[in-house]
Amino acid sequence: MATLAQFDLMREITLAGLPLPVTVRPATPLTDDELMLFSRRNQGYRIERNAEGELEIMSPSGGDGSRWESRVIRDLDVWAEQNGGASFSSNGGFHLPDGSVLSPDAAWISEARWNALSKDERSRFPPLCPDFLIEILSASDSRAVLEKKMLAWIANGAQLAWMIDPYASTMSIYRPGRMPELLERPDSVEADEVVPGFRLSTRLLWDE
C-alpha cells in the first residue's frame, strides 16, 4: 500500500507506471472537492475513496470490458428513458452514507430521489446510494474485492445490485437481507420491482 505524506503531494504524483490496481492512503482523507480535482488531473483512471478514506486507483477498462460496460449502460439508459428515473455511467461517483465515494459500472436512481437533490448536489458526487446498480468484473479486478464492494453497496442502501462475471459466465444478484443469488450462463435477466420490466440480455457476454 502506498502512503502519501500530505495532500500537496497529490498535485505532483503521476499514476503513470504505477502497478495497478493500487491503494493509496493519504495522511488526511481527501474531501469530495479534492477527490474530484485529483480525478480530473488523472483522467482515464478509475479512482474511488473507500470508507477508511483510502484511494483505490484502478486502470481503465480493456477493450472487452469497455464493450460489455457500454452494452449494459445502453440498455439501462433506454429503459430509464421509457420508465423514468436517472441512469448513470461508470464516470459517476456517489457519496455514500459510510463516507465512501464509489462508482458502479451502471446505476439508476428513482425520479423522486434524484429530483430531491439540489443543483449543487447533482453537479458533485450525489449524496445518496443508487437504487439499482450493475458491476462488471474486469480482467484486472479481484472477484473477492468486487464481492466485498457489492456488500458495501447493499449496506449503504442499494435495493438491487447485479455483479456480472464474464469470465466465469455468472451473474450474482444482491438484495437487502438476502444471500446473493448466483445464476450460471443466463440468456437474460429481468429485474424485480426496483426497476420493473428491465431486462438485460447476457447471452452475448458469455459467447464472446
Side-chain angles (χ1 to χ4, degrees):
M1 175 183 295
T3 302
L4 299 181
Q6 56 186 17
F7 173 68
D8 284 346
L9 291 180
M10 286 289 191
R11 303 173 185 269
E12 303 167 8
I13 68 168
T14 175
L15 300 182
L18 282 178
L20 301 176
V22 65
T23 300
V24 175
R25 179 182 293 168
T28 302
L30 272 64
T31 65
D32 283 6
D33 287 341
E34 291 169 340
L35 176 58
M36 192 168 289
L37 175 62
F38 182 64
S39 298
R40 287 172 180 165
R41 288 176 172 169
N42 293 280
Q43 292 185 17
Y45 295 90
R46 188 163 176 174
I47 304 171
E48 298 179 325
R49 184 184 69 216
N50 63 28
E52 288 70 44
E54 300 167 337
L55 300 185
E56 297 179 351
I57 303 171
M58 293 151 278
S59 62
S61 297
D64 281 338
S66 181
R67 288 188 65 210
W68 296 332
E69 184 180 303
S70 176
R71 188 171 294 159
V72 168
I73 293 169
R74 176 199 64 196
D75 288 357
L76 183 57
D77 190 52
V78 168
W79 181 89
E81 286 184 356
Q82 297 171 348
N83 295 272
S87 63
F88 302 86
S89 72
S90 59
N91 288 326
F94 297 91
H95 187 136
L96 304 183
D98 66 2
S100 61
V101 173
L102 303 183
S103 304
D105 289 315
W108 177 85
I109 296 173
S110 71
E111 198 83 31
R113 296 182 70 218
W114 181 245
N115 288 340
L117 297 177
S118 68
K119 184 176 181 180
D120 181 63
E121 289 173 325
R122 293 183 190 182
S123 68
R124 300 157 67 83
F125 298 124
L128 47 67
C129 183
D131 298 279
F132 171 61
L133 63 101
I134 301 172
E135 295 274 17
I136 305 173
L137 188 75
S138 71
S140 61
D141 286 338
S142 159
R143 183 181 174 99
V145 170
L146 187 55
E147 287 173 342
K148 182 179 178 181
K149 185 180 178 183
M150 300 304 292
L151 295 176
W153 282 119
I154 295 298
N156 277 280
Q159 296 304 300
L160 179 65
W162 291 352
M163 187 185 86
I164 299 173
D165 183 347
Y167 308 99
S169 301
T170 62
M171 175 182 282
S172 300
I173 301 176
Y174 291 76
R175 304 180 180 90
R178 297 169 61 176
M179 294 293 292
E181 177 185 359
L182 180 67
L183 305 179
E184 297 185 355
R185 294 187 66 86
D187 287 340
S188 64
V189 180
E190 184 168 347
D192 55 23
E193 64 275 7
V194 179
V195 278
F198 174 65
R199 179 182 292 273
L200 179 66
S201 177
T202 53
R203 180 177 56 82
L204 292 177
L205 297 181
W206 324 136
D207 291 344
E208 292 186 349

